[in-house]
Amino acid sequence: MAWAIIGGSGKLPLTGSFRAADLPESRYGSRSPGLLQGEVAGIEVWFLPRHGQPHALAPHLVNYRANVDTLWRLGVDGVIALNTVGGIAPAATAGSLHVPDQIIDYTWGREHTFSDEEQLLHVDFAEPLDHGVRRRLLAAGERAGIAASDGGVYGATQGPRFETVAEIERMARDGCDLVGMTGMPEAALAREAGLAYAMLSLVVNPAAGRADNPFDLDAIAAVAATGMEQVDDLLRTFFDAVALDAAALEGGQGR
């Protein structure tokens, strides 16, 4: 089983295990530059930084269709999407990790489906994030001694600007716990492609109006750097468990 990690605005995790990959472009155009290939605990893992490497693509300019299509063509089965987000709910404090289970989409104008003149896709998106991958992420956090909150609603906004206080208040009324700019249409495209997709979201700042202190990009960068160290540890534990499960399955088939 091959896995993929789609990276966000934090530093690239597991970088010592990866090498640059040279692949043809997707039929949907240019994917985000910086695709890496490697192994973690003997498991094939691809890493795709959605904002590119170096970090340059704004959230609304990411070619989500090309990115997801690339992972599909590589034969990836499971996808872990990393997101740095703002915290709306009281429990979503700076530095906390979350494994959301729901999404509300506030984006617009993005190429959001693989449906074209040759096919029409009506996919079930009631539960937008894969239960099995979510369970594995939460179990890895427990084994690594890293707290990760189970569930929550991720609100996807257009960006690249941050939200107004009134917008965050509306999102809170809608039930959003976290706010980010990249979860959609990425999650929906993964569902259309048949990829088991889940998010691991790191809160790097309180959303607008959720704290008395002024907005501070340097503070956000510091929280992201520290939080991504935890993400790195959790992912290593995750793939250790995947490798053990694969070995157990192989052993069972051999008897």
Side-chain angles (χ1 to χ4, degrees), residues 34 44 85 95 103 109 130 139 159 170 192 225-226 254:
E44 180 184 10
V85 298
I103 297 171
D130 185 80
R170 180 189 66 163
E192 288 187 355
T226 301

Side-chain angles (χ1 to χ4, degrees), residues 48-63:
L48 180 59
R50 68 170 67 84
H51 296 288
Q53 186 66 0
H55 185 287
L57 291 172
H60 66 294
L61 296 179
V62 173
N63 190 338

Side-chain angles (χ1 to χ4, degrees), residues 94 204-217 219-220:
V204 294
N205 66 289
R210 287 316 205 234
D212 294 332
N213 54 303
F215 187 76
D216 187 339
L217 281 175
I220 290 173

Side-chain angles (χ1 to χ4, degrees), residues 24-244:
E25 292 298 345
S26 163
R27 54 186 168 162
Y28 293 99
S30 298
R31 65 177 172 269
S32 299
L35 180 68
L36 301 175
Q37 178 186 19
E39 286 190 358
V40 183
I43 301 297
E44 180 184 10
V45 180
W46 297 84
F47 186 89
L48 180 59
R50 68 170 67 84
H51 296 288
Q53 186 66 0
H55 185 287
L57 291 172
H60 66 294
L61 296 179
V62 173
N63 190 338
Y64 296 96
R65 291 200 302 176
N67 287 352
V68 173
D69 180 64
T70 294
L71 299 182
W72 177 79
R73 289 188 297 113
L74 289 171
V76 164
D77 300 292
V79 179
I80 301 169
L82 306 182
N83 320 93
T84 54
V85 298
I88 298 176
T93 56
S96 60
L97 285 172
H98 299 258
V99 182
D101 62 350
Q102 280 293 331
I103 297 171
I104 298 178
D105 186 8
Y106 300 94
T107 66
W108 50 271
R110 302 181 183 189
E111 296 288 353
H112 65 282
T113 180
F114 291 121
S115 287
D116 54 31
E117 295 178 356
E118 298 179 0
Q119 61 178 342
L120 175 61
L121 303 171
H122 292 297
V123 297
D124 181 3
F125 205 52
E127 303 294 334
L129 301 165
D130 185 80
H131 179 74
V133 181
R134 290 186 62 256
R135 292 269 72 85
R136 283 181 176 270
L137 286 169
L138 292 164
E142 289 182 8
R143 284 192 296 271
I146 298 170
S149 295
D150 180 3
V153 179
Y154 175 107
T157 60
Q158 182 72 355
R161 66 166 178 83
F162 289 94
E163 301 73 31
T164 69
V165 172
E167 287 170 334
I168 292 299
E169 290 301 324
R170 180 189 66 163
M171 294 178 73
R173 291 192 297 272
D174 287 348
C176 294
D177 301 290
L178 309 168
V179 55
M181 303 175 187
T182 56
M184 289 293 286
E186 191 174 89
L189 289 164
R191 179 60 56 84
E192 288 187 355
L195 306 181
Y197 173 103
M199 295 178 176
L200 180 59
S201 300
L202 170 65
V203 178
V204 294
N205 66 289
R210 287 316 205 234
D212 294 332
N213 54 303
F215 187 76
D216 187 339
L217 281 175
D218 290 336
I220 290 173
V223 173
T226 301
M228 289 304 292
E229 292 177 6
Q230 287 194 310
V231 169
D232 194 286
D233 291 341
L234 191 151
L235 289 176
R236 291 185 187 280
T237 303
F238 178 96
F239 288 113
D240 284 343
V242 171
L244 287 173

Side-chain angles (χ1 to χ4, degrees), residues 7-34:
S9 296
K11 75 176 183 67
L12 305 187
L14 308 171
T15 49
S17 309
F18 290 83
R19 59 192 176 277
D22 184 20
L23 294 174
E25 292 298 345
S26 163
R27 54 186 168 162
Y28 293 99
S30 298
R31 65 177 172 269
S32 299

